Amino acid sequence: MQLGIVGLGGMGTGMARRLARAGVQAVCYDQAEAARQALADERNVHCAENLAALCARLAGERVILLMLSAGAAVEEAIRDLLPLVSAGDMLVDGGNGYYRDSMHRALTLSQQGLRYIDAGVSGGIHGLEHGYCLMLGGTPKTIEIFEPYARVLAPAPEAGWLHCGPSGAGHFGKMVHNGIEYGIMQALAEGFALLAARRDLDIDPARLAETWRRGSVVRSWLLDLCAVILKDNESLEGVAPVIDDSGAGRWTATEAIELGVSAPVITTALMARFSSQGRSDHARKLIALMRAGCGGHAVHRKA
């Protein structure tokens, strides 16, 4: 099998480099010429000018890894690839999409003789150095074919990657992973906000975070990031209090409701992100006016 990578933004470039440095040859494509040029000096990596050229350079049965944003970008790439691939070829969707979409996609592609893996990927910008955590969904045979690449991309050949189950299981695993991440981030942020509110105790939050990193039960990569952030910018000056949500948190909360599984921490963390985006402003204004109407409390007015 020969490997192609479509999408060099985000983790795509890091994956191409990690594979190349392990001696795996890959043909890559990205719409942005700058992204292709970034790999120009990388041995074992060849960048194609379009999808047709990428497929033409891959002989025999092909494995094409799609490192694109979930949703429309993945759909468009698959649509454009269908006339260019053949029965037995494999598409690996690393876009962390909605698992129900992945189940449907796997069925549709299998009817055309194509293999499909939904690959939940975690590791971010540090994956090149430390490896990527891979959560894979697909048939046992399909995973067996992809395994040599998974062993290179993962932190270790036998660790950090898993065949989670049938199609959809990989992206379901990543969805739950991201929901947990929402909750951990929220708890860390609230804790450091409490520390910042008691300046009179003269606690250095960056040094405390650094202390927690050594032996504490809350030590984690996210705590590592807090330690670095607070050391460089304790007051968080210049940062707007707005948090985007990528979709996985919504999917996790919806799944919890549909399954009747209590997930208050994840759901509350998601609501906090909505609130930061201004989606609570209308309700807050109405509450302020109700307090004024029933208790004579002051209403703050915009300057």
Side-chain angles (χ1 to χ4, degrees), residues 271-295:
M271 295 303 143
R273 295 195 179 196
F274 290 164
S275 182
S276 80
Q277 298 163 17
R279 301 187 186 192
S280 296
D281 289 358
H282 187 87
R284 288 170 177 166
K285 292 175 183 177
L286 186 56
I287 291 170
L289 292 171
M290 284 191 286
R291 291 183 76 244
C294 68

Side-chain angles (χ1 to χ4, degrees), residues 49-195:
E49 60 272 20
N50 53 50
L51 289 177
L54 177 140
C55 291
R57 291 190 185 187
L58 299 174
E61 293 185 342
R62 296 163 282 200
V63 174
I64 301 177
L65 176 57
L66 304 175
M67 292 306 300
L68 301 165
S69 299
V74 172
E75 290 290 344
E76 181 179 344
I78 291 177
R79 184 192 65 219
D80 293 343
L81 280 166
L82 284 179
L84 305 171
V85 295
S86 306
D89 289 346
M90 181 190 305
L91 300 181
V92 182
D93 176 9
N96 296 332
Y98 185 39
Y99 81 99
R100 294 182 189 271
D101 294 339
S102 302
M103 294 171 70
H104 175 73
R105 187 175 293 129
L107 177 61
T108 301
L109 293 175
S110 70
Q111 294 170 344
Q112 301 179 57
L114 298 171
R115 300 185 181 276
Y116 176 78
I117 292 176
D118 51 286
V121 183
S122 183
I125 59 176
H126 300 281
L128 171 59
E129 179 182 357
H130 300 295
Y132 301 89
C133 178
L134 304 174
M135 295 145 270
L136 307 176
T139 66
K141 179 61 179 177
T142 300
I143 302 299
E144 180 184 338
I145 294 169
F146 186 70
E147 180 175 341
Y149 303 117
R151 292 167 65 88
V152 172
L153 289 169
E158 304 295 340
W161 71 275
L162 177 69
H163 179 198
C164 294
S167 296
H171 281 166
F172 186 84
K174 182 58 165 60
M175 179 192 75
V176 175
H177 165 284
N178 282 19
I180 294 170
E181 182 182 331
Y182 274 44
I184 295 173
M185 283 185 172
Q186 186 69 27
L188 285 169
E190 291 176 6
F192 283 105
L194 282 170
L195 290 168

